[in-house]
Amino acid sequence: MTNLSNQTVLKTENLNVFYGFNLAVRDVTLDIPINKVVAFIGPSGCGKSTVLRCFNRMNDLIPSARIDGTITYHGKDIYTKKVDPVDLRSRIGMVFQKPNPFPKSIYENIAFGARLNGFTGDMNELVEMSLKKASVWDETKDKLNQSGLALSGGQQQRLCIARTIAVKPDVILMDEPCAALDPISTLKIEELIHELKKDYTIVIVTHNMQQASRVSDLTAFYNAEATEKGGKVGYLVEYDDTEKVFHNPAQEATRDYVSGRFG
Ligand SMILES: Nc1ncnc2c1ncn2[C@@H]1O[C@H](COP(=O)(O)OP(=O)(O)OP(=O)(O)O)[C@@H](O)[C@H]1O
């Protein structure tokens, strides 16, 4: 895999994630290289979101969730006691399926988190820069005092991306960011992802195969298999350059999935 010679931002080694006594996803080992877009694809329930949420310890908010194995961020273990998850989440931001702006003005959607993070610079400048980087400045610059909730779904999602950018992360995790959007808004987010990878490393979970092939440099295909207890456990089948995963995959299961034969 050519890209993996680049600097690694996030790395999982033998990652297992449990919810209570159930192993949800097993033995995931992968590297996320800097300034690349990595897509997680696979059928429902194979653990894509679960692995994604481990990268910024969002799973800590689920009381039954537990991991073993290791995850490092720039070479440092993120699951030690020394790491403050709130601080980690400002470095590794997250955008969710459903746009979730704060019920505040567009301006405050950006300023609020920045202030909480101790930002003391020029707030107007930060708001403008963040909205510009998220390609939503032109649509919002004349109504910064209006509610973020009054924007369209696609604009709200770009506002959420702006809010994430404002606290200066270097990784953006996206969990099906276009699932609730129409095709035109989806395209805008995809164009934005292309822009953003100049400055950020992006990991995106998507059910949309075309989207994965359009936006990502690398693709990780996960699948799930039945356990003896009657449950399901997810695992990583194949991780490689997107071009290879879609056109010349190493595994039969990957070929079947990307060609739409199952899932
Ligand atoms: N909060 C939770 N509590 C208990 N089990 C959970 C929780 N979240 C996910 N799981 C289980 O973990 C497994 C993986 O789920 P996850 O949502 O990560 O899969 P996914 O591949 O992202 O699925 P989808 O594509 O449907 O979003 C599933 O069996 C799911 O039921």
Side-chain angles (χ1 to χ4, degrees):
M1 202 189 298
T2 50
N3 289 312
L4 291 193
S5 58
N6 292 340
Q7 190 189 328
T8 296
V9 176
L10 283 161
K11 183 184 188 72
T12 72
E13 272 177 300
N14 307 113
L15 175 70
N16 294 313
V17 192
F18 300 82
Y19 293 106
F21 292 111
N22 293 326
L23 176 60
V25 55
R26 66 163 162 81
D27 208 23
V28 177
T29 296
L30 55 71
D31 285 12
I32 310 283
I34 194 163
N35 295 115
K36 299 287 179 199
V37 178
V38 175
F40 283 4
I41 62 168
S44 193
C46 64
K48 307 177 293 295
S49 301
T50 293
V51 174
L52 192 79
R53 288 195 299 259
C54 290
F55 286 143
N56 68 349
R57 295 191 44 179
M58 283 301 272
N59 279 339
D60 288 16
L61 307 176
I62 302 171
S64 68
R66 166 174 83 76
I67 75 149
D68 63 37
T70 54
I71 304 181
T72 57
Y73 169 60
H74 294 293
K76 296 213 170 79
D77 189 338
I78 60 167
Y79 277 84
T80 63
K81 288 211 175 79
K82 276 187 242 154
V83 174
D84 173 3
V86 176
D87 189 41
L88 182 73
R89 288 175 206 135
S90 70
R91 308 290 304 137
I92 306 176
M94 194 157 202
V95 175
F96 299 88
Q97 199 177 96
K98 211 165 156 277
N100 59 348
F102 301 131
K104 293 175 183 289
S105 70
I106 293 166
Y107 188 97
E108 273 305 307
N109 261 276
I110 309 293
F112 183 69
R115 234 181 265 122
L116 276 185
N117 268 277
F119 180 78
T120 52
D122 184 333
M123 192 60 88
N124 292 346
E125 213 172 84
L126 180 75
V127 169
E128 180 171 340
M129 183 277 289
S130 307
L131 292 169
K132 275 186 173 159
K133 273 199 163 181
S135 303
V136 67
W137 170 248
D138 288 344
E139 292 141 284
T140 55
K141 62 176 191 280
D142 298 326
K143 46 181 174 185
L144 293 175
N145 292 324
Q146 287 180 24
S147 171
L149 296 172
L151 296 169
S152 74
Q155 290 168 335
Q156 286 188 20
Q157 195 60 305
R158 279 177 282 134
L159 176 61
C160 292
I161 293 172
R163 179 177 72 183
T164 305
I165 288 171
V167 292
K168 304 206 171 7
D170 72 341
V171 179
I172 306 176
L173 308 174
M174 299 185 170
D175 197 349
E176 294 188 59
C178 304
L181 306 182
D182 63 80
I184 291 171
S185 306
T186 296
L187 211 63
K188 283 201 177 134
I189 301 276
E190 290 183 7
E191 284 166 5
L192 175 58
I193 290 172
H194 274 295
E195 280 299 307
L196 290 174
K197 79 169 175 180
K198 291 181 198 138
D199 298 318
Y200 308 96
T201 301
I202 296 171
V203 189
I204 176 172
V205 169
T206 178
H207 274 279
N208 180 331
M209 226 65 72
Q210 279 93 17
Q211 178 164 83
S213 69
R214 281 194 297 260
V215 302
S216 70
D217 302 293
L218 294 151
T219 295
F221 168 61
Y222 294 81
N223 203 351
E225 63 187 6
T227 62
E228 280 172 9
K229 288 188 220 151
K232 274 206 306 189
V233 58
Y235 63 102
L236 180 61
V237 176
E238 183 163 357
Y239 178 42
D240 213 324
D241 294 338
T242 295
E243 176 70 20
K244 184 155 190 306
V245 169
F246 279 87
H247 300 291
N248 188 22
Q251 303 293 328
E252 192 71 30
T254 313
R255 190 179 305 276
D256 287 349
Y257 188 75
V258 299
S259 64
R261 277 199 281 272
F262 82 92

